Amino acid sequence: MAFNQSWPAPRSPRPVVIIGAGGIVVDSHMPAYRQAGFEVAGIWNRNPERARAVAGRFGIPKVFESLDEAAAQPGAIFDIATSPQVHVDMLNALPDGAPVLIQKPMGLDLATADRILATCRRKSLTAAVNFQLRFAPMMLAIRDALSKGFFGTLTEIEVHLNLVTPWHLFPNLAGDPRVEMVAHSVHYIDLIQSLVGVPGTVFARSYGYPGSALADTRTTAILDYPGDLRVALSINHHHDFGRSHQDSTIRVEGDRGAAVVKLGVLLDYPRGEPDELWMGARGGPLEQVPLAGHWFPDAFRLVMNNLQRVVSGEDATLETSVESAWRTMAIVEACYASAARPAEPVRDLPGES
């Protein structure tokens, strides 16, 4: 059985205006838009030299002198690729009713997500959040397989990372009180939310690491769903002991079928390795499924396809709408709240307390 791995392209795409010129634009947004053939009408960044460098590298015809000039471009879809701390300011600068893709996460906490949601609603923006892992070809295949009953009754979703992340590439995270769950594992939490909805309760802990300047870089979390579905995350970004036992997988399993995804880009990031998808029915081996693309940059193209098609009326549902993204942020907030609470104490041996 073949499963869908793509998202249709819009028939008449609108031009894109990019707000921000950081590494994610260079590594993912522009390669994806070039791959899709989208017109990028211009770019703006607080540092104009940075904007000019990106424009020169990718042949972007216009570097805007101000945010107001960028926001005034008629008929554009706006791609806000800035840090979450300034998302509300960027959204407020856009014209009412504009379509916009907001870089993930949706703020660093649920209070900021509340403000982003309120701003988008007040201004009637057609707003999506760039939780693009949902649109990675192997994840679209899993979503399609789930909808067609391939897994049967779903019993397991497990995310396991044991690898080395070059945190020095993200200096903006150094002062943040929250790092791992909101900046990284939010991808997996959003993916899970898109597949099986919002859990009733959560259990979570995040940990720092000796010598690291970051608040937390390792996470254990359980998302508690009704029935027999077990959902767990085990995340370690510090396994610097060679490639042989590093791992970057998502396993989805039911009583009839199973799938295992390798997130290749996270291994030796940012160069990465190829993504992989393995699927099979109970009682037989998992077999590798040829992929129609990879998380980076294909998912960035496909999430923009959905937004473009919603604006044109070709798609009825904005998959990563701010409402859906807010639900993801609510799960993340619950994980942080769980991490701040004391766990159940273990009794002392009688007579030794």
Side-chain angles (χ1 to χ4, degrees), residues 36-49:
F38 293 146
E39 175 193 355
V40 177
I43 187 170
W44 176 83
N45 191 63
R46 291 185 186 275
N47 181 340
E49 289 300 318

Side-chain angles (χ1 to χ4, degrees), residues 39 45 112-113 118 120-121 128 136 139 165 168 243 250 257 300 314:
E39 175 193 355
N45 191 63
T112 306
C120 292
R121 286 176 166 175
M139 300 310 180
T165 296
H168 65 276
R243 174 65 182 86
I250 299 176
F300 290 78
E314 296 169 85

